[in-house]
Amino acid sequence: MPRVSPEHLAARRRQIVDAARRCFLREGFHRTTMQDVIAEAGLSVGAVYRYFPSKADLISAIAEEAVGGAEAVLDEVRHREPPPPLAEALDRALAYVETQLGDDGVLRIAVQVWGEAQRDRALATLVAGKYDHVRGYLAALVRRAQDTGEVAADADPDAVASAMLALILGWLLQQLLTGRPDRATYIAGVRALLTP
């Protein structure tokens, strides 16, 4: 039997994840079955189960993607020289969030992931780990802000990072639920909070 290339395997996995995302957006996690995903992907049962033995595995893959993009953005911001002010770093994170809020955006699924994480311990562990990583990136930004004098030297970087994560997730939820405020208005509000 000929070997399948890594590119082919990656493309097939992508095809399945995209099909699952469409199903979850349309019907939610609980109403979507593996049969729905198989039909949406246009693949055989065996092909789908080869990559994802369960719906929980698909949910985990989508959760990884939802947070992974934000991690990449924060990592890039964290290494910028000179370090950006925290409000600018937050704006950059929200700019990424904004790209993922459309009708087919992965962050619409984030809310479902949060709900499912309340019932599924493995998913809860994955989500907690991902948000711990994001908080770590934010804490690194806070430490750099302490070095520049933007944040008080005696402030707890983890506490400030937790507040920043809440600002990101709070805006995401407001966008999903009400469609407002726009990013510029929100960042103006954040700047007003941060300005002594």
Side-chain angles (χ1 to χ4, degrees), residues 12-189:
R12 186 55 47 100
R13 185 178 195 285
R14 173 86 267 140
Q15 180 181 358
I16 297 165
V17 169
D18 288 346
R21 188 180 75 238
R22 289 189 300 274
C23 289
F24 293 152
L25 284 168
R26 191 170 50 240
E27 297 295 333
F29 287 148
H30 291 289
R31 290 185 60 190
T32 297
T33 66
M34 284 300 283
Q35 300 317 98
D36 295 329
V37 174
I38 291 162
E40 184 78 20
L43 298 171
S44 70
V45 171
V48 172
Y49 280 101
R50 174 181 181 191
Y51 292 89
F52 298 99
S54 71
K55 189 165 73 167
D57 293 317
L58 278 165
I59 293 168
S60 293
I62 291 170
E64 291 264 359
E65 286 184 6
V67 179
E71 287 178 322
V73 167
L74 291 172
D75 190 47
E76 181 270 320
V77 171
R78 177 177 68 155
H79 289 97
R80 282 186 37 203
E81 288 298 338
L86 289 182
E88 184 181 321
L90 187 64
D91 187 44
R92 181 70 182 95
L94 295 183
Y96 167 75
V97 167
E98 201 167 40
T99 69
Q100 300 301 309
L101 285 171
D103 289 340
D104 63 345
V106 73
L107 292 178
R108 291 195 173 279
I109 295 176
V111 177
Q112 293 184 55
V113 169
W114 298 340
E116 189 64 19
Q118 303 306 301
R119 300 175 354 93
D120 181 329
R121 280 187 99 39
L123 185 59
T125 300
L126 172 81
V127 169
K130 283 296 187 183
Y131 285 119
D132 284 345
H133 280 263
V134 170
R135 204 174 358 266
Y137 287 117
L138 292 169
L141 287 170
V142 171
R143 283 190 281 284
R144 293 189 77 196
Q146 286 175 311
D147 292 342
T148 65
E150 181 184 7
V151 173
D154 62 348
D156 177 353
D158 293 324
V160 177
S162 292
M164 289 180 70
L165 180 58
L167 288 169
I168 294 168
L169 297 177
W171 185 73
L172 182 161
L173 280 174
Q174 288 183 71
Q175 285 298 303
L176 290 175
L177 296 173
T178 69
R180 56 185 191 278
D182 63 78
R183 193 174 95 231
T185 300
Y186 190 76
I187 290 298

